[in-house]
Amino acid sequence: VMFYRLLSVVQRQRTSRGWQNWPSARSGASAAEAHSVALPAQAQVVICGGGIMGTSVAYHLSKMGWKDIVLLEQGRLAAGSTRFCAGIISTARHLGIEQKMADYSNKLYQQLEQETGIQTGYIRTGSIFLAQTQDRLISLKRINSRLNVIGIPSEIISPKKVAELHPLLNVHDLAGAMHVPEDAVVSSADVALALASAASQNGVQIYDRTSVVHVMIKKGEVTGVETDKGQIECQYFVNCAGQWAYELGLSNEEPISIPLHACEHFYLLTRPLETPLQSNTPNIVDADGRIYIRNWQGGILSGGFEKTPKPIFTEGKNQLEIHNLQEDWDHFEPLLSSLLRRMPDLETLEIMKLVNCPETFTPDMRCIMGESPLVKGYFVLAGMNSAGLSFGGGAGKYLAEWMVYGYPSENVWELDLKRFGALQSSRTFLRHRVMEVMPLLYELKVPRWDFQTGRQLRTSPLYDRLDAQGARWMEKHGFERPKYFVPPDKDLLALEQSKTFYKPDWFDIVESEVKCCKEAVCVIDMSSFTKFEITSTGDQALEILQYLFSNDLDVPVGHIVHTGMLNEGGGYENDCSIARLNKRSFFMISPTDQQVHSWAWLKKHMQLDSNLLLEDVTWKYTALNLIGPRAVDVLSELSYAPITPDHFPSLFCKEMSVGYANGIRVMSMTHTGEPGFMLYIPIEYALHVYNEVMSVGQKYGIRNAGYYALRSLRIEKFFAFWGQDLNTLTTPLECGRESRVKFEKGVDFIGRDALLQQRQNGVYKRLAMFVLDDHDTDLDLWPWWGEPIYRNGLYAGKTTSSAYSYTLERHVCLGFVHNFSEDTGEEQVVTADFINRGEYEIDIAGQRFQAKARLYPVASLYTHKRRKEDVELSDLHGK
């Protein structure tokens, strides 16, 4: 028998201090009556959205001293997605920044009741993550090792131990599990009400039943908000509108793209069991079965992420509060079957309700936060991918820090709104992508997996030619990039389906591409790189670039400079190469995902000067990377120009003709440390130049190569990449790039003071290169990224990127080494001597492998290939 009743997550709304008798900060009127209360004429900050995100931002801003804040909610407080949240706080996440956000949220919610007097229903239950396969267990072991080093207790447990912790579970098909004892459950709506209460007591004014019509913008800055109750002038606007954040962003005079989309999300509620479950019964995540399970009033709350989700509101349909959507038992049936397999005793249990509520998802399964690249003062916090409660506290804190201090206390690039561009805002793209994203939340994600939807959006003119030659593709910022090229004799189907944490099936293919780069010549299509031109009528371009970049750009025409674009703290906002085309013109090459971020940074610092022009020319040029000792032969034969080092020194740029095509920008650099050239080709000549290069290159053994070969080459040469190894909190002094800083030039630049201070005080982390010692490439798990580094048995940092070096025949990892005090845990100065004296291990899914650390690569190791047994690892100790 099925019996239904309306769900009320906030059961005490009418008796305790809930939304109905909510105090307005200044007027004393209740929020329920706010429709009759005049809004303030102005405020410093207006927040749109009264769910967990909006209230968390208001709470943290008020804690940091900002008081002139208005929070607007179109319906009732906490009556949107927050009200229907399953109430599970889970810290086990793949990304380090997400682990930190969830850990902070957990600690915050635990003490909210004491701080505010509002009961939040916080109960520490712990979570058990089940593994039905060995690969899932490996994935859990990787997460477990990362949780332990940041102070979140967790352990890998046996199926027998699972049964002891949760006797109702069927454990016969399990390979193992991970237990995270400090996870919890809480009433999400009550948490939002508690956050709002604390914010209100700190001076924040809260008005419900007040809709934001649009944000007023003047000269690229927020000036105010138009609501259905009147206007409020403000300097800052925060879009915490949840599933309506996309619509709200587009409603402005200057539309702002916030790529997210809602899907229906289902969970069921049951009557209490015959012997009601204890309130501290652990939460269960059975990702292989696609379900989660928690105690709910002695019964069960269970939902999941099905393979065939149902996107909603694609046309932008609006509604004030999220009324319960239609039940769909047919749709839920696979999840119900999975639940009954895991808990067979539920067969006879009475189901109260199937809840259907919308959840918002983003194109890459990561939440969206930060300031708009287009409008100063317009901040966003939305798109939580069904983890809003877990992230709410931490995300609100980081966004508040961003607004108050200009920067969050952690590197949040992976969550930054500026990782997206307008290209991700198509409704069709979002609808298709979230249908892939929602099931992926519980899919096993092995290293180097790729999204399948929204592909072939941005392509090089050579895409079809390369595809026909066996290119296998990955996507970065919407741009298709070749991973490697499958030879005609390879079993393509097996390769495509190969997914593993161990040695991958593409190993031999990439080895042959790397070998060709070392011994002959390869061509890699690198058209996705971000390309800007900065020109001026006088010296304005040089002056502004000297201020924005840390290396000296006052170089002779034709020279290329590797340089960082730093923030006030000396951290990398971007790491790029700049060629001086002439006295007044510069060509800037940056990582693919820097297109929006770099543009916003440059625009922000370039005054509205009619003498200065910034142009994005990414789409104008196809970029071919010609790598290898025979690249010089290919290029000289095609250009009939001298290409010897005397005529064409390293890090030099010349405009030349290649084949029949004129105006090719040729640069003597390859981003790998190998000899060769980058060719920046106007797109209409791309096919011609590629054909000529391949034709002439035949006699020199030319072949296509992909980004996997590039990665192997650059990591073995200790080349750090922005977004992987470098970020906004790492400085040139921390990664051995002091030579790229113009300290002695007497020229001011952003970050100079911070770097001078750091040079005087010493650095607290240093980038090192680790060569794995006792690691069997064929049999052992591979390092990919994020593995803990141990020095003399103590945690010292994490790897940032890794690759197999076909030259050394070893795995090489890059990562930062910290010096944590054994007594206090505080960070201390890291010297070269400290790095060199340590004994190192890399933790791969709980197993530690010895490694030798270096602060720079040894040239002799790369001049000729030695067998693994012959490599003197004593060579690898720093001098």
Side-chain angles (χ1 to χ4, degrees):
V1 178
M2 291 200 181
F3 153 62
Y4 308 99
R5 71 171 179 78
L6 282 173
L7 167 69
S8 174
V9 176
V10 188
Q11 295 154 330
R12 297 173 299 284
Q13 265 190 346
R14 297 194 176 275
T15 53
S16 73
R17 189 177 178 207
W19 63 269
Q20 286 183 317
N21 51 357
W22 197 260
S24 179
R26 285 188 190 160
S27 67
S30 76
E33 298 161 4
H35 60 278
S36 61
V37 176
L39 297 178
Q42 60 185 57
Q44 184 184 10
V45 182
V46 172
I47 300 169
C48 174
I52 196 104
M53 293 302 147
T55 55
S56 178
V57 173
Y59 171 88
H60 286 96
L61 283 175
S62 68
K63 287 277 186 184
M64 292 173 196
W66 283 19
K67 308 294 185 187
D68 188 11
I69 299 166
V70 171
L71 187 150
L72 305 176
E73 163 56 45
Q74 64 174 347
R76 297 175 301 163
L77 277 179
S81 299
T82 298
R83 175 180 158 216
F84 287 100
C85 173
I88 299 171
I89 307 163
S90 171
T91 51
R93 306 283 165 182
H94 287 279
L95 288 183
I97 186 65
E98 292 182 343
Q99 290 174 351
K100 288 177 181 176
M101 287 197 303
D103 188 41
Y104 174 84
S105 299
N106 197 5
K107 292 180 169 77
L108 172 68
Y109 303 160
Q110 190 177 3
Q111 56 88 34
L112 261 185
E113 199 168 308
Q114 185 180 349
E115 180 184 345
T116 64
I118 294 178
Q119 291 184 333
T120 59
Y122 182 96
I123 301 169
R124 178 165 286 176
T125 58
S127 294
I128 303 172
F129 296 80
L130 308 181
Q132 295 183 27
T133 66
Q134 283 301 323
D135 272 349
R136 177 71 69 179
L137 190 57
I138 290 166
S139 178
L140 292 177
K141 285 178 178 177
R142 288 176 62 85
I143 294 172
N144 181 65
S145 64
R146 295 176 198 175
L147 288 176
N148 288 334
V149 296
I150 65 169
I152 299 175
S154 69
E155 62 173 337
I156 299 298
I157 60 175
S158 65
K160 184 181 175 185
K161 179 69 173 174
V162 174
E164 290 172 15
L165 290 167
H166 200 309
L168 293 178
L169 291 186
N170 169 19
V171 299
H172 299 306
D173 59 344
L174 298 184
M178 178 174 72
H179 183 216
V180 185
E182 292 187 0
D183 280 0
V185 295
V186 73
S187 163
S188 51
D190 286 345
V191 166
L193 294 175
L195 290 168
S197 171
S200 176
Q201 286 162 8
N202 275 332
V204 175
Q205 300 178 76
I206 298 172
Y207 298 87
D208 69 0
R209 305 191 187 281
T210 306
S211 295
V212 173
V213 179
H214 66 89
V215 179
M216 297 182 291
I217 297 162
K218 191 173 182 181
K219 293 183 179 175
E221 295 185 17
V222 169
T223 60
V225 175
E226 178 83 45
T227 80
D228 59 352
K229 309 281 167 57
Q231 290 185 357
I232 307 175
E233 290 181 14
C234 63
Q235 298 163 260
Y236 297 91
F237 176 75
V238 188
N239 183 340
C240 296
Q243 63 182 317
W244 312 123
Y246 173 83
E247 298 291 323
L248 185 57
L250 296 183
S251 72
N252 306 323
E253 295 162 5
E254 189 163 344
I256 291 169
S257 171
I258 304 165
L260 50 80
H261 196 293
C263 283
E264 296 181 32
H265 177 58
F266 297 88
Y267 61 80
L268 60 76
L269 300 166
T270 76
R271 286 284 193 191
L273 276 71
E274 197 168 311
T275 304
L277 287 178
Q278 296 293 309
S279 60
N280 63 349
T281 301
N283 307 319
I284 303 297
V285 177
D286 182 2
D288 294 312
R290 301 194 160 277
I291 54 168
Y292 59 82
I293 308 164
R294 61 156 284 195
N295 164 64
W296 190 76
Q297 297 182 2
I300 290 291
L301 182 158
S302 178
F305 300 99
E306 62 274 21
K307 284 188 174 180
T308 54
K310 297 168 70 175
I312 46 171
F313 306 142
T314 304
E315 299 81 14
K317 175 186 171 188
N318 207 331
Q319 58 184 63
L320 286 184
E321 285 149 28
I322 298 163
H323 302 298
N324 208 22
L325 298 164
Q326 294 299 307
E327 292 182 334
D328 188 340
W329 283 102
D330 289 340
H331 189 77
F332 190 73
E333 194 277 329
L335 299 181
L336 180 59
S337 299
S338 190
L339 171 63
L340 294 175
R341 276 195 301 276
R342 188 57 58 210
M343 297 181 72
D345 291 353
L346 297 188
E347 284 277 9
T348 58
L349 199 60
E350 193 175 15
I351 295 171
M352 286 173 52
K353 186 169 186 62
L354 182 64
V355 178
N356 177 0
C357 58
E359 285 278 4
T360 52
F361 300 89
T362 62
D364 60 0
M365 291 189 292
R366 305 198 295 263
C367 75
I368 296 172
M369 69 162 63
E371 189 173 16
S372 159
L374 301 174
V375 179
K376 185 181 177 186
Y378 192 115
F379 284 82
V380 178
L381 185 58
M384 292 295 140
N385 300 283
S386 206
L389 181 64
S390 294
F391 296 158
K397 172 177 174 264
Y398 291 144
L399 193 81
E401 289 174 344
W402 206 327
M403 295 172 69
V404 174
Y405 308 122
Y407 238 83
S409 55
E410 295 284 347
N411 168 45
V412 296
W413 166 248
E414 291 164 306
L415 315 176
D416 194 330
L417 172 63
K418 291 186 283 293
R419 73 187 187 270
F420 296 120
L423 62 97
Q424 283 97 354
S425 65
S426 147
R427 288 182 195 268
T428 308
F429 166 79
L430 288 171
R431 182 179 175 88
H432 290 177
R433 176 56 67 85
V434 298
M435 289 176 74
E436 179 182 13
V437 160
M438 189 172 160
L440 268 173
L441 290 176
Y442 276 4
E443 294 264 326
L444 181 67
K445 287 176 280 296
V446 297
R448 311 270 176 97
W449 59 273
D450 300 293
F451 287 109
Q452 301 304 308
T453 54
R455 298 295 297 270
Q456 298 179 30
L457 187 57
R458 303 172 74 197
T459 59
S460 153
L462 305 178
Y463 179 86
D464 287 341
R465 282 297 311 275
L466 301 179
D467 196 57
Q469 294 177 79
R472 286 298 157 262
W473 302 94
M474 61 183 185
E475 169 255 335
K476 186 81 171 276
H477 201 60
F479 219 116
E480 296 293 331
R481 316 200 304 180
K483 296 190 281 193
Y484 49 79
F485 286 77
V486 180
D489 56 336
K490 277 278 181 184
D491 180 353
L492 190 59
L493 191 65
L495 199 68
E496 290 292 283
Q497 293 173 348
S498 162
K499 294 177 180 178
T500 180
F501 290 99
Y502 290 90
K503 179 181 177 180
D505 282 359
W506 43 256
F507 182 86
D508 295 339
I509 295 174
V510 175
E511 180 178 30
S512 61
E513 292 180 6
V514 167
K515 186 180 179 187
C516 188
C517 288
K518 296 273 187 185
E519 298 173 0
V521 57
C522 274
V523 60
I524 304 180
D525 185 341
M526 295 177 64
S527 303
S528 69
F529 272 12
T530 297
K531 301 173 275 289
F532 295 159
E533 281 180 15
I534 303 103
T535 54
S536 59
T537 53
D539 293 334
Q540 299 92 339
L542 177 62
E543 288 167 8
I544 191 70
L545 294 182
Q546 284 285 68
Y547 177 64
L548 290 177
F549 292 89
S550 56
N551 208 344
D552 187 14
L553 292 170
D554 193 4
V555 294
V557 170
H559 283 245
I560 301 168
V561 177
H562 292 315
T563 179
M565 182 171 81
L566 309 182
N567 52 44
E568 294 290 349
Y572 281 98
E573 290 293 330
N574 184 10
D575 183 48
C576 56
S577 305
I578 298 181
R580 190 166 193 177
L581 300 178
N582 58 51
K583 288 283 188 187
R584 298 168 182 174
S585 183
F586 296 82
F587 186 54
M588 173 179 162
I589 303 138
S590 307
T592 303
D593 52 5
Q594 272 277 0
Q595 191 165 11
V596 176
H597 177 67
S598 267
W599 178 269
W601 185 267
L602 292 170
K603 277 296 200 185
K604 175 177 159 187
H605 290 92
M606 287 181 173
Q607 300 303 316
L608 293 172
D609 186 344
S610 58
N611 298 311
L612 204 56
L613 175 67
L614 171 66
E615 186 183 3
D616 185 344
V617 295
T618 301
W619 62 275
K620 284 188 176 182
Y621 293 95
T622 297
L624 292 182
N625 195 351
L626 219 54
I627 304 177
R630 307 312 297 265
V632 62
D633 300 308
V634 175
L635 195 57
S636 59
E637 199 169 316
L638 278 171
S639 62
Y640 290 98
I643 312 287
T644 60
D646 294 339
H647 295 93
F648 209 136
S650 179
L651 291 179
F652 202 72
C653 173
K654 275 186 185 177
E655 203 160 277
M656 317 171 45
S657 58
V658 177
Y660 298 155
N662 278 318
I664 313 298
R665 288 177 186 169
V666 179
M667 302 186 185
S668 49
M669 58 183 272
T670 63
H671 303 282
T672 62
E674 300 296 330
F677 303 89
M678 285 292 301
L679 277 56
Y680 286 91
I681 308 157
I683 55 169
E684 64 267 33
Y685 299 145
L687 207 52
H688 167 76
V689 171
Y690 174 78
N691 289 340
E692 290 294 299
V693 164
M694 295 303 283
S695 175
V696 167
Q698 288 301 315
K699 57 175 161 297
Y700 302 111
I702 199 165
R703 65 177 289 170
N704 292 299
Y707 272 77
Y708 284 10
L710 186 86
R711 184 186 183 90
S712 174
L713 291 167
R714 71 97 177 165
I715 287 178
E716 73 177 18
K717 288 286 176 69
F718 203 172
F719 277 29
F721 266 27
W722 191 90
Q724 294 172 39
D725 312 297
L726 311 177
N727 61 46
T728 53
L729 296 180
T730 56
T731 73
L733 276 60
E734 293 166 349
C735 54
R737 295 185 173 191
E738 189 167 340
S739 61
R740 297 185 184 182
V741 181
K742 54 188 173 217
F743 282 126
E744 315 308 328
K745 295 291 180 180
V747 178
D748 190 26
F749 59 89
I750 297 175
R752 183 173 188 267
D753 292 346
L755 293 184
L756 286 171
Q757 189 80 38
Q758 195 177 50
R759 189 163 69 162
Q760 185 178 327
N761 298 341
V763 297
Y764 288 83
K765 63 176 185 275
R766 284 187 78 139
L767 187 68
M769 169 178 170
F770 298 90
V771 183
L772 290 194
D773 199 351
D774 56 347
H775 183 268
D776 189 317
T777 307
D778 294 321
L779 300 177
D780 289 327
L781 287 167
W782 275 29
W784 296 96
W785 61 273
E787 289 84 13
I789 300 165
Y790 288 87
R791 179 187 181 276
N792 297 347
L794 299 174
Y795 173 65
K798 287 181 189 171
T799 64
T800 51
S801 58
S802 65
Y804 183 80
S805 165
Y806 295 93
T807 313
L808 299 176
E809 297 188 339
R810 308 277 176 100
H811 256 101
V812 176
C813 304
L814 307 186
F816 282 93
V817 175
H818 301 251
N819 180 4
F820 299 112
S821 164
E822 286 189 50
D823 301 324
T824 64
E826 290 183 9
E827 293 199 52
Q828 300 171 315
V829 170
V830 176
T831 62
D833 189 50
F834 176 83
I835 300 273
N836 294 330
R837 281 189 295 104
E839 296 287 326
Y840 292 91
E841 294 171 301
I842 307 293
D843 179 328
I844 306 176
Q847 186 178 354
R848 296 189 191 180
F849 295 90
Q850 292 177 6
K852 295 292 190 290
R854 283 210 48 80
L855 289 169
Y856 51 87
V858 176
S860 63
L861 286 176
Y862 303 103
T863 51
H864 61 280
K865 191 172 181 180
R866 308 189 209 170
R867 294 300 303 163
K868 184 186 284 191
E869 305 83 58
D870 300 335
V871 176
E872 291 290 331
L873 278 175
S874 57
D875 287 357
L876 292 172
H877 269 307
K879 294 178 181 176

